[in-house]
Amino acid sequence: MATADSNTDLRNGYTIMSVREALIRQEDTIIFSLIERAKFPINSPTYDKSYASSFDSLVEFIVKNTESIQAKAGRYKNPEENPFFPEYLPSSAAPNYPFPQILHPEAALININKSIWKMYLEELLPKFVAPGDDGNYAQTAACDLSLLQAISRRIHYGKFVAEVKFRESPQEYEPLIRAQDREGLMNLLTFERVEEMVKKRVEKKASVFGQEVGPVHDENQGKYKVDPSVVSLLYEKWVIPLTKLVQVEYLLRRLG
Amino acid sequence: MATADSNTDLRNGYTIMSVREALIRQEDTIIFSLIERAKFPINSPTYDKSYASSFDSLVEFIVKNTESIQAKAGRYKNPEENPFFPEYLPSSAAPNYPFPQILHPEAALININKSIWKMYLEELLPKFVAPGDDGNYAQTAACDLSLLQAISRRIHYGKFVAEVKFRESPQEYEPLIRAQDREGLMNLLTFERVEEMVKKRVEKKASVFGQEVGPVHDENQGKYKVDPSVVSLLYEKWVIPLTKLVQVEYLLRRLG
């Protein structure tokens, strides 16, 4: 029999270590998706509700309908995935797969995608895309969807972070949960040194992945496809705080 | 008035230079997409026609239906885009955008996505994904779609390459076209030194974009998310020859 240390499979494959690795890997996906979205200018008709009478807005049309297809193919059976428009989803037509179910049922349903959607469109997007219009609105919205999904997965992964931390030392969390002490929980989950390290790492990744690779051209030295400081800001202002928000909300429901 | 050199806008924005830059930028998209697909193991139920009775195969279901949504949002109005399942596409519900129309109408319709699809599933995929099954079939198929679209766009960009080359020196191409001399055209389009340079560059890009970025861990040194030699092979065996095939097929119809 395996020893019950924090790296064994007692949590159906989720451990402090595996959760940490998943978060790091998801940074790459977010940065690749930022770079791919930045290939296109802002393309504002994509977001304009009056652009075409057949759509709410083109981005909503693409996101709702693509989510719907992916739902039918089983995407949201994996508890790591959270849809932006859950009210429109058909059920899965795919056979069940035994995804590990480690989340506490009361708390598993947390979905803050409405806030992520608003933050993305109103705050993040204008910070990293160029002005302009090249007519590629469907492609732009498809890039928005991939990026939104990557950011959402990262932030909602807070549920798994919270669950493995809780199982690691329930005695630390239970009194705060019983007292419904948000601030106490937030303090317990905050490690400024780690947050600084994450911000530095994503900035470095953005400069590595967003560089021009090829024979040295002077004019491209130090030019990045997405400003690395925007990626650091995305983590500082939204990804880290919203992940902690998800963790706190999850823990508040953990004994329910 | 602007001088009629090869960099002016006489070709509605397409020039030898702009086409070359687009090809280079598309390399990054292909490599990011390869890395993202490689996050998942092979996940063979994604490709298995007997997996779920509601689907042909899950990858076909995702690709056909996502293309259909994107078509409605206007994706295929851009002559740079070529669908995998043109027979299933609804027409665009978006207002028209004035995409530059530089391709010769007879030749613009070339679509070799059937060959790309077969190559991708039968030859490329097994070369760069790990064995295994993690149940994320919808996500896997969504990654397949992004990668297929990136490879297809790159290969069909051969039409634009051929058109700008033809306009640059019609006197070189016309006799070969009139003689329907495939081999002669292929020789005229082949620059081995450039092909070698492209293969080296994509291999280098794969090693830059696929590296582990962070504090130095010995166990990750020299470990890449996708083997750079597979990217070089993808270009050598398929991307470069199929782009040239598209160019030759395009030119053969150029005076039609």
Side-chain angles (χ1 to χ4, degrees), chain B residues 148-172:
Chain B
L148 281 162
Q149 286 179 327
I151 294 172
S152 168
R153 195 182 311 111
R154 169 63 175 78
I155 289 171
H156 289 96
Y157 214 81
K159 298 181 208 173
F160 295 87
V161 177
E163 180 63 28
V164 297
K165 284 183 179 169
F166 176 83
R167 293 201 193 184
E168 197 77 358
S169 40
Q171 69 290 351
E172 282 196 80

Side-chain angles (χ1 to χ4, degrees), chain B residues 16 32 44 59 72 86 94 99 101 125 130-131 139 155 159 164 197 223 239 255:
Chain B
I16 292 276
F32 295 154
S44 53
V59 69
K72 219 172 151 193
F99 290 107
Q101 300 293 337
L125 203 46
Q139 295 90 315
I155 289 171
K159 298 181 208 173
V164 297
M197 194 186 69
K223 255 180 131 182
V239 173
L255 302 173

Side-chain angles (χ1 to χ4, degrees), chain B residues 168-231:
Chain B
E168 197 77 358
S169 40
Q171 69 290 351
E172 282 196 80
Y173 290 94
E174 282 180 9
L176 294 166
I177 296 171
R178 285 188 211 290
Q180 293 284 297
D181 180 353
R182 277 172 194 277
E183 208 185 314
L185 287 167
M186 190 59 93
N187 288 337
L188 198 54
L189 295 166
T190 299
F191 300 92
E192 278 176 23
R193 201 184 50 80
V194 175
E195 293 177 10
E196 280 309 309
M197 194 186 69
V198 170
K199 278 160 45 191
K200 285 219 180 76
R201 186 174 59 226
V202 295
E203 186 161 352
K204 187 172 168 200
K205 284 185 175 183
S207 67
V208 171
F209 301 151
Q211 68 184 296
E212 298 291 342
V213 178
V216 181
H217 289 306
D218 276 350
E219 75 265 38
N220 286 327
Q221 291 292 65
K223 255 180 131 182
Y224 301 113
K225 298 192 189 86
V226 165
D227 179 352
S229 73
V230 169
V231 182

Side-chain angles (χ1 to χ4, degrees), chain A residues 89-161:
Chain A
L89 294 185
S91 52
S92 168
N96 275 327
Y97 179 89
F99 290 107
Q101 301 294 338
I102 70 152
L103 299 181
H104 189 67
E106 291 281 309
L109 301 172
I110 291 163
N111 182 331
I112 64 163
N113 275 336
K114 292 269 176 290
S115 314
I116 295 173
W117 178 269
K118 199 169 139 67
M119 170 284 281
Y120 178 75
L121 293 181
E122 293 174 13
E123 306 204 61
L124 181 59
L125 203 47
K127 288 200 172 50
F128 78 97
V129 295
D133 186 332
D134 67 5
N136 290 309
Y137 314 136
Q139 296 89 314
T140 298
C143 287
D144 288 326
L145 172 60
S146 298
L147 177 50
L148 280 162
Q149 287 179 327
I151 293 173
S152 167
R153 196 183 309 111
R154 169 62 175 76
I155 289 171
H156 289 96
Y157 214 80
K159 298 181 208 173
F160 295 88
V161 177

Side-chain angles (χ1 to χ4, degrees), chain A residues 110 112 162 172-190 241-254:
Chain A
I110 291 163
I112 64 163
E172 282 197 79
Y173 289 95
E174 281 179 10
L176 295 166
I177 296 171
R178 284 188 213 290
Q180 293 285 295
D181 180 354
R182 275 170 197 278
E183 206 185 316
L185 287 167
M186 190 58 93
N187 288 337
L188 198 54
L189 294 167
T190 299
L242 291 175
T243 305
K244 290 201 290 185
L245 175 69
V246 166
Q247 291 185 59
V248 170
E249 293 298 325
Y250 181 91
L251 288 167
L252 288 171
R253 292 162 179 73
R254 180 59 180 78

Side-chain angles (χ1 to χ4, degrees), chain A residues 41-55:
Chain A
I42 182 74
N43 279 340
S44 54
T46 313
Y47 313 101
D48 180 353
K49 283 184 194 294
S50 63
Y51 167 63
S53 55
S54 323
F55 312 125

